[in-house]
Amino acid sequence: MLYPLNTETRTVLSLNGIWQFQMQVPDEPRDPKQPLTDPDNIAVPASFNDQTTNLKLRHHDGYVWYERQLTIPHVLSEQRLSLRFGSATHEAWVYVNGIAVGHHKGGFTPFELPINDAAHVGENRITVKISNLLDDTTLPVGNYSETTDDAGHRIPHVDENFDFFNYAGLNRNVDLLATPWNRLEDITITPQIDLKANTADVTVHSETTQASGRIQVILRDASDTVVATGTGRDSAIHLDQIHLWQPLNAYLYHAQVTLLAEDGSVLDSYTEPFGLRTVAVKAGQFLINDRPFYFKGFGKHEDTYINGRGLNEAANVLDLNLLKHMGANSFRTSHYPYSEEMMRLCDREGIVVIDEVPAVGLMPGFDFNVSSKANSPKNNPYWHQVKTQAAHQQAIQEMIGRDKNHASVVIWSLANEPATHIEGAHDYFAPLFKLAKQLDPQQRPCTYINIMMATPKRDTCSDLADILCLNRYYGWYIQTGDLDAAAVAETQELQAWQAKYPTKPIMFTEFGADTLPGLHSAYNEPFSEEYQVNYYAMNAKVFDGITNFVGEQLWNFADFQTKVGIGRVQGNRKGIFNRAREPKAAATWLAHRWQAIPNFNYKN
Ligand code: GCB
């Protein structure tokens, strides 16, 4: 899916700003033909939850309504008009002047709805009904229930089957797009790189809405010089003396694709950035441009004060600056695809990304203590009853469709901590891995993020993963406070994985300890800043002793908001930065370690 850009043929009008907003009274549907009656102001893009003093709204499970006026200028009236949402969390029904123009389910990927039949030049009313409800058919997975209030209303409740606050609303940009009727619908760029010859054969596949018209492709280098040209809906273009996209040393080319009429006039034009790099898994190593890469970085969240999960570009810029400052090189989009703006930024900055679908909560009964299900029986019927397969396929399709051209993306993560220690998981996941491989033109490695209970003995899906990504909390949820015992158990498990899969690279995609900044302990007590430093020092020592261990992404970059619970103190406090991005002591310790570890050939 193309990112919205102004070009010589296209106009993007931002609909960000203050919208009108109303919470729907449970069980009392509204008629979208009528304007909102007593609305409040709400900012877009942002989650609605932290913009209010109304506790009921902050914790509202159900429907909310957004509304605003849109003036369509005469000059755009001949083009195809559509509304484009960067995301609407988690489900949206969109109306223009009270007329339904479309619907989308899935809270972390963009969608575009044509509106010409419902809109007119001049004033229009845009209305969006949003649901933040989650259940056993959705991703993420929620535990849905209903109660009845005194007035007889059915009140929905969602108990998150995962560890982050269910921030919702119009979390990303909303735009009006005016595009030609005969237009470019999608562009797929697939480079075949010959590292030895320093050349690339780049296929630029252009999809158009109509069969008429011919395609011209111009490739420009980073200094905007034309380096090659091609023609046709499948343009094969050869590049000599290429510049590679490298971790922390990004180099971007641009493909300018033009759809021309037979008379040579421009029907549509769009420019897509792309990078040249290879990714491969070989002999227990993760190779970028044929060199063994070592992941240093984080699991993150889109989570900031006030904006909630809403797009916060200043926070994105700061987070990547902090990441680079620490000597890190990568992060995972835990636990959902992040904004398109963040992905474009990572391409530019040379940040290596593990891109994850919102498949989180695929386990019977989430608990803050992720080790609590250690003894859940292997023959639990969970995977035979699960109803998320359709949503999961759609999420994979939409993530890869959106992010396939990003040089920064090197791995697709198809789930976070599914219960793969329970029988039946393999049948659920095998078709999803197949689908991801079919969809990705670059054939990136695929994985799922393995939960603690899915040990080398109990796990049922690791054969599907190209790289073993483990979330482990030795010294936190288990062997709490005993780092010596934790080191022994962690080493044993890693050795067992390596023995089981001598050619698969292994990395940690989570490990961490909740820490309250300013809390100190001379006795190395959990929650103190000292314990967090010692916890990371213990882990580092273990990692350095495992040959096929190719990366450490800790949990979490920053403290983040969760639902309430006795295991959470105003959210999850495993950040090495607090929520305001102020460093805890561990940030300094880790910066020293990571600055001394090269991006390549660390283990050689
Ligand atoms: C996990 C989850 C993550 C939690 C984390 C924790 O395993 O993947 O979403 O926040 O543990 O802190 O418990």
Side-chain angles (χ1 to χ4, degrees):
M1 180 177 225
L2 299 179
Y3 182 71
L5 288 181
N6 282 307
T7 73
E8 59 183 295
T9 54
R10 297 168 166 243
T11 308
V12 183
L13 282 184
S14 172
L15 301 184
N16 293 347
I18 301 298
W19 288 53
Q20 300 303 294
F21 179 85
Q22 206 169 296
M23 181 167 99
Q24 178 170 309
V25 177
D27 223 12
E28 278 187 16
R30 281 198 66 257
D31 179 4
K33 290 204 169 54
Q34 305 305 322
L36 298 181
T37 39
D38 187 19
D40 293 316
N41 291 319
I42 202 94
V44 173
S47 306
F48 64 77
N49 311 76
D50 288 0
Q51 297 185 55
T52 179
T53 55
N54 177 350
L55 258 187
K56 269 204 168 139
L57 173 58
R58 184 166 196 269
H59 296 288
H60 175 65
D61 294 326
Y63 301 95
V64 295
W65 291 81
Y66 284 74
E67 189 176 276
R68 65 162 282 159
Q69 294 300 114
L70 161 65
T71 310
I72 298 181
H74 218 282
V75 284
L76 302 182
S77 62
E78 296 300 310
Q79 287 201 300
R80 178 196 188 251
L81 301 176
S82 61
L83 292 176
R84 192 193 195 270
F85 296 81
S87 71
T89 315
H90 296 282
E91 185 171 6
W93 295 259
V94 182
Y95 307 85
V96 174
N97 301 318
I99 301 165
V101 294
H103 162 258
H104 182 263
K105 195 165 180 178
F108 303 95
T109 35
F111 57 97
E112 200 193 313
L113 306 169
I115 62 164
N116 290 76
D117 290 346
H120 45 251
V121 170
E123 285 283 290
N124 296 269
R125 193 176 75 248
I126 315 262
T127 312
V128 186
K129 174 185 171 186
I130 290 195
S131 158
N132 66 355
L133 298 175
L134 295 171
D135 59 24
D136 60 355
T137 66
T138 61
L139 295 181
V141 179
N143 301 300
Y144 182 87
S145 61
E146 285 176 0
T147 51
T148 310
D149 71 4
D150 295 345
H153 293 136
R154 280 177 302 131
I155 315 286
H157 301 281
V158 174
D159 178 24
E160 298 92 326
N161 209 44
F162 48 86
D163 185 30
F164 52 93
F165 192 91
N166 188 21
Y167 280 118
L170 292 177
N171 278 335
R172 296 180 188 160
N173 292 336
V174 184
D175 295 301
L176 172 73
L177 305 188
T179 51
W181 289 98
N182 187 1
R183 67 183 178 284
L184 294 159
E185 189 77 323
D186 199 13
I187 297 171
T188 305
I189 302 180
T190 317
Q192 289 291 339
I193 297 159
D194 185 334
L195 291 165
K196 283 209 180 74
N198 202 33
T199 60
D201 287 302
V202 181
T203 309
V204 180
H205 173 71
S206 306
E207 269 170 44
T208 55
T209 48
Q210 294 171 22
S212 66
R214 58 197 165 86
I215 296 282
Q216 182 191 71
V217 181
I218 298 176
L219 300 190
R220 291 198 161 79
D221 67 12
S223 56
D224 222 23
T225 306
V226 175
V227 287
T229 59
T231 53
R233 280 172 172 71
D234 280 292
S235 276
I237 303 176
H238 182 78
L239 287 178
D240 285 316
Q241 293 177 337
I242 58 170
H243 297 273
L244 291 175
W245 186 97
Q246 299 274 18
L248 298 177
N249 188 10
Y251 188 98
L252 292 180
Y253 290 84
H254 285 86
Q256 185 190 337
V257 181
T258 310
L259 176 64
L260 296 164
E262 293 315 320
D263 65 2
S265 61
V266 174
L267 295 170
D268 193 13
S269 124
Y270 189 89
T271 299
E272 177 81 341
F274 68 98
L276 300 176
R277 55 105 189 87
T278 64
V279 173
V281 163
K282 210 165 127 193
Q285 295 179 324
F286 192 87
L287 305 177
I288 297 183
N289 298 328
D290 240 1
R291 295 161 72 202
F293 179 71
Y294 193 79
F295 292 83
K296 301 176 280 178
F298 308 94
K300 281 184 99 282
H301 263 298
E302 289 187 315
D303 174 282
T304 55
Y305 284 116
I306 307 170
N307 296 51
R309 190 139 294 117
L311 175 65
N312 185 336
E313 294 212 69
N316 286 350
V317 170
L318 173 63
D319 285 3
L320 295 193
N321 281 331
L322 289 168
L323 182 151
K324 289 187 293 178
H325 178 73
M326 292 196 59
N329 53 24
S330 62
F331 70 87
R332 172 170 61 116
T333 72
S334 38
H335 296 309
Y336 36 81
Y338 287 5
S339 68
E340 293 160 288
E341 289 72 20
M342 183 56 141
M343 304 308 287
R344 291 169 75 89
L345 194 60
C346 289
D347 278 352
R348 288 194 198 181
E349 293 277 4
I351 306 298
V352 173
V353 177
I354 301 177
D355 206 358
E356 183 160 287
V357 282
V360 55
L362 283 167
M363 61 171 85
F366 168 81
D367 191 300
F368 283 130
N369 178 351
V370 290
S371 70
S372 67
K373 299 278 180 309
N375 297 317
S376 58
K378 205 171 172 165
N379 59 1
N380 187 311
Y382 180 75
W383 291 106
H384 300 289
Q385 294 163 355
V386 96
K387 298 188 200 108
T388 48
Q389 181 75 214
H392 212 143
Q393 286 173 11
Q394 184 197 337
I396 291 171
Q397 264 152 5
E398 292 188 4
M399 174 178 73
I400 297 180
R402 192 194 75 164
D403 290 345
K404 62 191 171 201
N405 292 337
H406 287 292
S408 52
V409 175
V410 300
I411 297 175
W412 305 115
S413 162
L414 303 188
N416 179 70
E417 298 194 340
T420 52
H421 53 299
I422 294 175
E423 179 273 321
H426 199 277
D427 285 350
Y428 178 91
F429 274 104
L432 296 175
F433 273 77
K434 198 169 158 206
L435 176 68
K437 296 274 180 196
Q438 272 165 3
L439 289 171
D440 181 16
Q442 295 189 15
Q443 294 296 299
R444 292 167 180 88
C446 294
T447 194
Y448 64 94
I449 308 298
N450 169 300
I451 192 165
M452 284 185 79
M453 298 77 100
T455 56
K457 276 212 180 98
R458 293 169 63 101
D459 184 83
T460 57
C461 290
S462 40
D463 61 307
L464 297 170
D466 297 309
I467 171 169
L468 299 172
C469 291
L470 310 178
N471 290 356
R472 293 297 181 269
Y473 288 92
Y474 290 103
W476 187 253
Y477 290 123
I478 51 176
Q479 290 98 25
T480 314
D482 186 346
L483 294 177
D484 292 338
V488 172
E490 185 169 307
T491 307
Q492 276 169 0
E493 192 192 340
L494 282 170
Q495 285 169 343
W497 280 114
Q498 194 163 269
K500 187 168 178 188
Y501 292 108
T503 57
K504 279 195 208 265
I506 307 168
M507 67 182 285
F508 269 18
T509 32
E510 283 184 28
F511 59 116
D514 285 84
T515 303
L516 298 179
L519 187 80
H520 293 286
S521 166
Y523 307 110
N524 199 30
E525 288 161 295
F527 295 102
S528 67
E529 296 210 42
E530 286 75 14
Y531 189 77
Q532 195 181 30
V533 170
N534 292 327
Y535 172 90
Y536 282 120
M538 176 281 284
N539 274 279
K541 221 169 157 182
V542 172
F543 300 162
D544 288 345
I546 306 289
T547 327
N548 289 0
F549 197 85
V550 301
E552 47 196 88
Q553 290 189 336
L554 61 80
W555 193 253
N556 186 287
F557 177 78
D559 292 349
F560 60 91
Q561 195 54 268
T562 64
K563 64 180 173 183
V564 296
I566 53 165
R568 294 292 176 263
V569 184
Q570 242 190 15
N572 188 310
R573 307 302 289 268
K574 295 190 185 70
I576 62 148
F577 295 95
N578 67 12
R579 208 178 181 208
R581 276 50 180 173
E582 293 158 343
K584 301 179 191 174
T588 311
W589 188 89
L590 283 155
H592 281 134
R593 169 171 169 81
W594 286 345
Q595 283 158 3
I597 294 180
N599 296 321
F600 291 105
N601 295 312
Y602 177 47
K603 287 286 166 85
N604 290 1

